[in-house]
Amino acid sequence: MRSLPTLALALALGPSLCGCRSAESAPPPEKAAAPAAPSPAAPKTAATRRRFGESIAAGSALTLASILAKPEEFADKTVTVEAKVRRNCTRRGCWMELAEAADPALPGCRVTFKDYGFFVPLDSAGSSARVQGVVHVQSVAAPEVQHLESEGAKFAAKLPDGTAREVRLVASGVELWREQG
């Protein structure tokens, strides 16, 4: 079930249930992305991390597989996870999907962004990600499923009535990088 602020946002957005906004109302670029400065001690082959939203607390990250194996144990808890960005919103960057690898047969987890306060670049697919956010296990209504699918989303647990069960992270902070080779 959606929280009242999320429900109010969905109602205000009308058919754009995921929060896609016009270019005029999207966060300004300086708020949406703040590239991280490379560490002076980092080797030249180290990937530059781009940061979005709030800073991520230091510490070890969980595997996405551990969260997806027992999502109810993590429901409504803040976690940090590292995984690959398999796909993302192709219109505004208002969601991305994490998986252990790009293989579409592997389970994934959609990531949305706290209060739609930031988005990720439209070319985020293929990046590595470190995400801190709250785990939600929810049923997604048929109109939202249809809308998200129009942006490139896939639902493994889609039901005949068009709804789907989903494990979702609502991220407060995201770091993205491309592996250097």
Side-chain angles (χ1 to χ4, degrees), residues 107-181:
C109 176
R110 183 166 336 283
V111 178
T112 58
F113 310 110
K114 183 180 175 185
D115 300 327
Y116 290 102
F118 62 97
F119 296 146
V120 294
L122 299 180
D123 65 351
S124 294
S127 297
S128 294
R130 183 174 176 91
V131 176
Q132 187 167 36
V134 177
V135 176
H136 294 274
V137 181
Q138 61 192 37
S139 178
V140 181
E144 186 173 4
V145 169
Q146 186 177 21
H147 173 77
L148 291 169
E149 287 177 332
S150 77
E151 297 175 338
K154 305 285 184 213
F155 288 88
K158 189 173 170 182
L159 301 172
D161 66 357
T163 63
R165 181 178 177 272
E166 178 177 65
V167 177
R168 183 179 296 194
L169 277 172
V170 178
S172 56
V174 173
E175 292 179 359
L176 296 176
W177 68 95
R178 299 242 182 224
E179 300 297 328
Q180 304 292 318

Side-chain angles (χ1 to χ4, degrees), residues 64 68 83-87 97-109 125-127 154 156:
L64 183 61
L68 295 176
K84 295 288 185 185
V85 179
R86 181 164 45 196
R87 60 179 64 95
E97 183 181 87
L98 297 180
E100 295 295 329
D103 182 352
L106 293 173
C109 176
S127 297
K154 305 285 184 213

Side-chain angles (χ1 to χ4, degrees), residues 50-65:
R50 296 181 292 170
R51 293 188 174 106
F52 306 88
E54 300 171 9
S55 295
I56 297 175
S60 61
L62 297 170
T63 64
L64 183 61

Side-chain angles (χ1 to χ4, degrees), residues 17-58:
L17 295 174
C18 75
C20 288
R21 306 175 200 187
S22 67
E24 298 82 42
S25 64
E30 63 275 5
K31 180 179 178 186
S39 164
K44 292 186 189 271
T45 59
T48 300
R49 292 183 182 225
R50 296 181 292 170
R51 293 188 174 106
F52 306 88
E54 300 171 9
S55 295
I56 297 175

Side-chain angles (χ1 to χ4, degrees), residues 65-102:
S66 66
I67 293 170
L68 295 176
K70 298 179 181 178
E72 288 76 18
E73 287 184 18
F74 297 97
D76 301 321
K77 294 181 182 173
T78 300
V79 299
T80 300
V81 64
E82 284 192 21
K84 295 288 185 185
V85 179
R86 181 164 45 196
R87 60 179 64 95
N88 59 272
C89 173
T90 57
R91 293 184 182 164
R92 299 280 177 235
C94 62
W95 59 265
M96 63 183 184
E97 183 181 87
L98 297 180
E100 295 295 329

